[in-house]
Amino acid sequence: MLKINSWWQSLNKAMKICLISLTIAAFGLGTTYYCYYAGQTIASDQAPAEIKGSVITLKALKEEYFADLHHMFSNEVRKGLDFPAVIDFAYSIAYFRHLEHRAHVSKGILYTIFDNVDQAPIGTIEIREYDPEDVGQMGMWINEKYWGGGRTVEAIKLISKAYFNLYPSEKDFIIFARPWNQRSYKALLKAGCVDEGFKYCDGTPIWYQLRKHKE
């Protein structure tokens, strides 16, 4: 036991986190966890922890929000996110960990969206690093009970300003929206995104491509 304790104490924090994560995965608890490298300077860590708007507030995603956000994954939200028809809490945790990991290891930014009236977490919003194989750079969702009232538009404006402040060399980012999702498409236009036409697959328009420029 002494040798084991000495070995464990000799590891740095990053290695301990990795080993714990691998142990959890090995025992099949149903959730994917990631290794975070303690002490590494990540730009996303310098993003404001909270950004308050008039109708919503953006707060850095925390584990304590996971349960409430899981209950916001309605049928409508799951459809928009291409989730399975039925998901469990482990699925939601894996999704949130994936968002955290992506924002942490690349030029990304991620927030939970809170409604300013009832103070509830109602969705998430992210801007991720450009990847030609990915579907755009922005991802967001809000439970349909909170649609309207300018929440989506304000969330886009707030995170866009934070993103460009965090990564001053970035001049724009791309957003895709499905043609059937007119609500999101119109919200993006109201938030100042520019329509650049359709993205096609085998001659069929499958996405609107929009671009948000730095102001």
Side-chain angles (χ1 to χ4, degrees):
M1 179 63 71
L2 179 60
K3 289 183 178 180
I4 294 175
N5 285 341
S6 298
W7 168 77
W8 178 257
Q9 291 172 1
S10 69
L11 299 177
N12 61 33
K13 184 177 179 182
M15 290 301 298
K16 288 178 181 178
I17 293 173
C18 286
L19 287 170
I20 292 171
S21 301
L22 290 171
T23 301
I24 290 171
F27 280 93
L29 297 186
T31 302
T32 302
Y33 292 84
Y34 298 91
C35 296
Y36 293 97
Y37 295 92
Q40 183 177 356
T41 301
I42 304 296
S44 60
D45 293 342
Q46 307 305 313
E50 181 174 318
I51 307 173
K52 190 171 182 61
S54 60
V55 292
I56 59 98
T57 297
L58 301 182
K59 297 183 182 181
L61 181 63
K62 296 180 180 179
E63 189 171 313
E64 64 194 73
Y65 307 151
F66 287 4
D68 289 335
L69 286 170
H70 171 70
H71 293 299
M72 290 288 172
F73 283 139
S74 63
N75 291 335
E76 191 71 28
V77 171
R78 292 197 301 275
K79 175 186 175 184
L81 292 172
D82 291 326
F83 281 6
V86 178
I87 62 173
D88 58 15
F89 189 38
Y91 186 98
S92 295
I93 292 174
Y95 172 70
F96 297 137
R97 292 299 189 199
H98 170 68
L99 295 181
E100 288 178 323
H101 175 72
R102 181 162 58 190
H104 191 82
V105 302
S106 65
K107 297 172 72 172
I109 187 169
L110 168 67
Y111 285 103
T112 306
I113 304 170
F114 278 77
D115 182 69
N116 283 352
V117 175
D118 60 18
Q119 303 299 310
I122 60 174
T124 64
I125 185 167
E126 63 160 341
I127 300 174
R128 49 191 179 265
E129 189 171 13
Y130 176 73
D131 180 350
E133 302 299 320
D134 197 3
V135 182
Q137 291 176 259
M138 172 178 282
M140 74 171 296
W141 63 274
I142 291 179
N143 182 276
E144 67 270 18
K145 292 180 181 179
Y146 296 89
W147 290 357
R151 295 176 180 85
T152 299
V153 173
E154 185 169 67
I156 296 169
K157 288 183 175 180
L158 291 178
I159 196 173
S160 298
K161 183 177 180 179
Y163 172 78
F164 289 125
N165 286 339
L166 188 63
Y167 303 106
S169 64
E170 299 298 321
K171 305 303 180 185
D172 55 46
F173 60 85
I174 297 171
I175 315 99
F176 286 176
R178 292 182 178 85
W180 58 261
N181 195 344
Q182 288 294 307
R183 187 191 67 84
S184 293
Y185 172 70
K186 292 176 181 178
L188 288 164
L189 293 177
K190 288 181 181 179
C193 302
V194 178
D195 186 347
E196 296 186 333
F198 285 113
K199 296 288 287 185
Y200 290 85
C201 180
D202 296 329
T204 301
I206 56 173
W207 299 98
Y208 288 112
Q209 177 172 307
L210 301 98
R211 191 178 300 269
K212 177 68 173 173
H213 294 278
K214 186 176 183 178
E215 297 179 357

